[in-house]
Amino acid sequence: MQLDDLYQEIILDHYKSPRNFRQIPDDEAMVDEENPTCGDHIKLIAAVEDGVLSDVKIQCEGCAICTASSSMMTEKMIGLKVAEVRGWIRDFTEMMRGGPDLPEEDLDDLMALRGVKKYPLRIKCATMAWHALEDALKQLGA
Amino acid sequence: MAHTRHTGKPALDPARVRSEFPVLSRFVRDGKPLVYLDNAATSQKPALVIEALDEYYRHYNANVHRAIHHLAEEATTRYEEARTVIGSFIGAENPREVIFTRGTTESINLVAHAWGRKYVGADDEIMLSEMEHHSNMIPWQLLAKATGSRLVYIPVLENGELDLDAYRERLSSRTRLVALTQMSNVLGTINPVADMIRDAHRAGARVLVDGAQSVPHMPVDVKALDCDFLAFSGHKMCGPTGIGILYAKEELLETMDPFHGGGEMISKVSWHEATWADLPHKFEAGTPNIADAIGLAAAVGYLSSLGMDDIHRAEQALTAYALEALRTIEGLRIYGDAANRGGAISFVMEGIHPHDISHFVDQDGVAVRAGHMCCQPMMKKFGHPAMTRASLYLYNTRDDVDRLVEALERVKGFFNRAT
């Protein structure tokens, strides 16, 4: 079977077993965002300790790209300094919008999402979690 | 299967029909022949519609109803002829009852403003069905907020049909308007609007029919239905974008206030007041969309030449074929099982998001829609924030359906692999 260039094994893996996901009650969610065009829905909470993003939890009802991007983001971002996280959010969303590719060795699993930029209608799916994390950081005043 | 009518008129020949739509011979996604199944969103255009637009701009582009010169005369004649042709198509013999708008959405907003603000009061009710498109819901929400009136809903049953008992129970002397789709863009359900209109009139309510999905696909006759308003769009029926129709009974249009103010819609203007032009121009402020009105008349001429009965019959047969074929896919569930239904087929597949489905089948050249299809509350009611929809039109074939089914099997194969 010919594999789609966007849907690689690793995306399917994160879609089926997303990391750092759990049910988040409405009153606990720091960010609650819905993409009105497709119904993708993300709730997110984050915690910062001593300038480091110590935890992120996500509840996502969305497509494989949205779910995988959320899951990969949590794996990559937890444990980084807030300033580094901000840099990642900027560079990753920029890359999705057609900006420069981040180095392969930095991206790890996120490499699989580089194909998204070829599909303008899917970019929102891949960047939704990242914008949600950005909102959460703002709320934390971090 | 296409039928041969007693008149001896040849049945719809999909191969010939296809050859008249230039875009259908296109290849997409690295050489895949296009299978276009997003017709409920917008239809493709036959060459003669594209040529009618081209001819207008090349040969007789001029503003209408004003200047006294050769081109203006031609443009005005063709624009008003378009109104007559489109009116006849829906059984409106009086062109004064046919208003050009930008589309269904604007037509409904026109009624909500020009009729609703005048005739709907604080104790009144506006009745909608739960399967209405946002375009036949939000204008009434806005009207209800502005007037203090209340929205009352006709429930959708599990099989996709309306709960007609609830409808009759909820109709009352407070019901000022029933705004109702003739065919659901999600469930495909064809509602028994003629009966429902009779019930509404008995209760003293007016009825607006949203014909966006029905007028392109089946014969619709405003006199037989006795609807008070009918709204539909050109672009879903082989016509251009940006043009649509509001049909309304003349007696209603006469008493309604204008919607937009400006040129064209006036009779006499002084510093502080004005009187309105006669129908239909009272509701067509500013320079109208001349080219697209003429393009829509060309589309209507094309559909009429094939025959709406034949188009409907062929689509019914293809819909039955598609429903059967889709049901062979394990884990796929179709929403909308009404006895009388059209070719908009929405479904979900276990464990696979509609976005991913539509992306995958697109890689095979198959265009479908994924999302809430502008029916968010109903989708929530059915427990799915999004679905996938394949919607058929006169140029679709069994081969198109087979290509969709193959593509869906491929999606399933990918997502159901053990990881």
Side-chain angles (χ1 to χ4, degrees):
Chain A
M1 186 174 61
Q2 191 202 329
L3 263 190
D4 192 282
D5 56 354
L6 181 55
Y7 289 82
Q8 301 172 23
E9 273 320 315
I10 189 72
I11 288 183
L12 197 56
D13 176 51
H14 278 270
Y15 180 51
K16 290 196 165 179
S17 332
R19 330 306 193 236
N20 298 301
F21 272 39
R22 70 164 167 85
Q23 294 293 312
I24 299 175
D26 282 347
D27 55 2
E28 203 186 321
M30 295 173 63
V31 184
D32 188 336
E33 267 177 28
E34 212 164 330
N35 178 346
T37 59
C38 64
D40 281 349
H41 186 188
I42 284 185
K43 292 194 224 174
L44 179 145
I45 47 178
V48 171
E49 275 173 43
D50 303 328
V52 169
L53 182 67
S54 56
D55 196 19
V56 181
K57 288 283 182 285
I58 290 182
Q59 179 185 333
C60 171
E61 285 139 28
C63 62
I65 300 300
C66 184
T67 306
S69 182
S70 303
S71 169
M72 291 171 180
M73 178 187 81
T74 63
E75 275 202 322
K76 194 79 196 163
M77 295 300 108
I78 293 172
L80 293 186
K81 293 196 185 97
V82 170
E84 293 171 319
V85 173
R86 284 189 188 287
W88 265 99
I89 293 171
R90 187 190 58 230
D91 295 346
F92 181 78
T93 54
E94 204 44 48
M95 178 175 94
M96 288 292 103
R97 287 197 209 97
D101 277 346
L102 292 160
E104 243 181 274
E105 59 274 23
D106 291 348
L107 282 168
D108 294 330
D109 288 0
L110 287 165
M111 263 296 284
L113 289 169
R114 290 208 306 196
V116 172
K117 62 164 79 171
K118 282 202 316 208
Y119 301 99
L121 300 173
R122 304 305 300 279
I123 293 168
K124 258 191 191 166
C125 309
T127 55
M128 201 168 162
W130 297 77
H131 291 305
L133 180 58
E134 193 176 20
D135 282 359
L137 289 179
K138 253 183 223 147
Q139 285 180 43
L140 289 166
Chain B
M1 279 301 290
H3 293 241
T4 306
R5 297 166 91 195
H6 301 304
T7 55
K9 188 170 171 279
L12 206 66
D13 172 7
R16 210 196 74 207
V17 170
R18 288 184 77 80
S19 70
E20 286 159 337
F21 290 75
V23 80
L24 295 180
S25 56
R26 243 201 92 167
F27 293 86
V28 294
R29 300 287 178 217
D30 302 328
K32 311 285 190 336
L34 172 68
V35 173
Y36 187 76
L37 296 172
D38 194 16
N39 294 290
T42 197
S43 73
Q44 297 301 342
K45 323 301 174 197
L48 69 86
V49 168
I50 301 164
E51 283 155 13
L53 298 176
D54 187 74
E55 193 204 355
Y56 167 75
Y57 286 119
R58 282 180 193 278
H59 293 288
Y60 60 97
N61 169 57
N63 212 328
V64 291
H65 298 303
R66 288 183 195 136
I68 315 285
H69 57 71
H70 187 104
L71 295 190
E73 194 178 289
E74 273 184 30
T76 303
T77 304
R78 295 289 296 274
Y79 178 69
E80 290 304 327
E81 274 172 9
R83 191 191 306 279
T84 306
V85 165
I86 298 161
S88 305
F89 181 71
I90 53 163
E93 300 310 332
N94 178 359
R96 292 160 58 85
E97 298 181 320
V98 179
I99 315 288
F100 282 115
T101 64
R102 280 192 297 142
T104 306
T105 299
E106 189 178 75
S107 296
I108 296 172
N109 276 280
L110 191 163
V111 177
H113 278 260
W115 181 84
R117 303 240 169 178
K118 192 163 178 180
Y119 292 107
V120 177
D123 296 324
D124 293 338
E125 293 175 352
I126 302 158
M127 200 181 280
L128 315 175
S129 86
E130 286 181 345
M131 64 171 75
E132 297 312 312
H133 188 280
H134 293 164
S135 62
N136 198 24
M137 183 179 290
I138 314 301
W140 308 116
Q141 289 181 357
L142 293 171
L143 179 66
K145 284 223 170 74
T147 59
S149 52
R150 204 165 73 91
L151 301 186
V152 176
Y153 281 93
I154 311 162
V156 179
L157 301 169
E158 193 60 30
N159 70 353
E161 292 180 351
L162 289 180
D163 183 342
L164 296 175
D165 293 333
Y167 168 61
R168 287 183 204 104
E169 274 163 32
R170 289 170 197 190
L171 269 175
S172 78
S173 59
R174 286 187 304 278
T175 314
R176 199 58 53 233
L177 179 79
V178 178
L180 182 66
T181 185
Q182 190 169 16
M183 191 192 295
S184 163
N185 67 311
V186 175
L187 307 167
T189 311
I190 299 174
N191 291 316
V193 287
D195 291 346
M196 296 176 76
I197 290 167
R198 247 193 319 277
D199 294 333
H201 284 168
R202 230 173 267 139
R206 297 291 183 179
V207 182
L208 177 142
V209 174
D210 174 353
Q213 297 296 336
S214 58
V215 173
H217 299 277
M218 58 194 266
V220 174
D221 185 312
V222 291
K223 289 291 178 275
L225 290 178
D226 194 28
C227 56
D228 300 291
F229 305 99
L230 172 72
F232 59 98
S233 298
H235 71 95
K236 293 189 203 286
M237 51 191 287
C238 302
T241 54
I243 191 79
I245 297 291
L246 172 69
Y247 157 83
K249 287 178 178 166
E250 184 170 3
E251 76 224 50
L252 294 170
L253 290 172
E254 285 292 0
T255 64
M256 282 158 61
D257 290 330
F259 179 35
H260 293 147
E264 200 101 10
M265 54 75 74
I266 46 84
S267 173
K268 288 198 190 84
V269 178
S270 62
W271 291 123
H272 295 288
E273 55 187 10
T275 55
W276 315 135
D278 281 342
L279 294 176
H281 304 110
K282 173 176 153 186
F283 293 101
E284 292 180 5
T287 296
N289 186 350
I290 305 161
D292 294 322
I294 291 165
L296 176 53
V300 159
Y302 175 71
L303 293 174
S304 301
S305 74
L306 297 172
M308 288 309 292
D309 277 316
D310 280 3
I311 290 172
H312 185 54
R313 212 173 289 128
E315 264 183 56
Q316 290 279 295
L318 188 61
T319 301
Y321 178 79
L323 289 170
E324 201 181 314
L326 287 167
R327 285 195 180 110
T328 62
I329 301 174
E330 213 183 307
L332 183 147
R333 178 169 174 198
I334 295 167
Y335 280 83
D337 194 23
N340 192 9
R341 61 158 302 153
I345 305 172
S346 297
F347 57 87
V348 296
M349 289 171 83
E350 223 178 299
I352 315 175
H353 193 277
H355 248 178
D356 299 317
I357 296 172
S358 66
H359 182 100
F360 256 76
V361 302
D362 173 57
Q363 299 305 303
D364 287 344
V366 181
V368 296
R369 172 78 193 272
H372 55 59
M373 268 83 85
C374 296
C375 290
Q376 272 185 352
M378 183 178 76
M379 305 290 274
K380 287 221 165 93
K381 174 174 171 154
F382 284 131
H384 298 282
M387 294 186 191
T388 308
R389 178 185 69 196
S391 51
L392 309 168
Y393 207 12
L394 71 170
Y395 37 67
N396 288 124
T397 60
R398 288 184 172 210
D399 187 51
D400 291 340
V401 173
D402 295 344
R403 291 261 314 271
L404 169 68
V405 171
E406 282 162 28
L408 290 173
E409 289 287 9
R410 199 176 78 91
V411 183
K412 220 183 87 178
F414 177 79
F415 277 91
N416 288 357
R417 263 178 319 163
T419 46

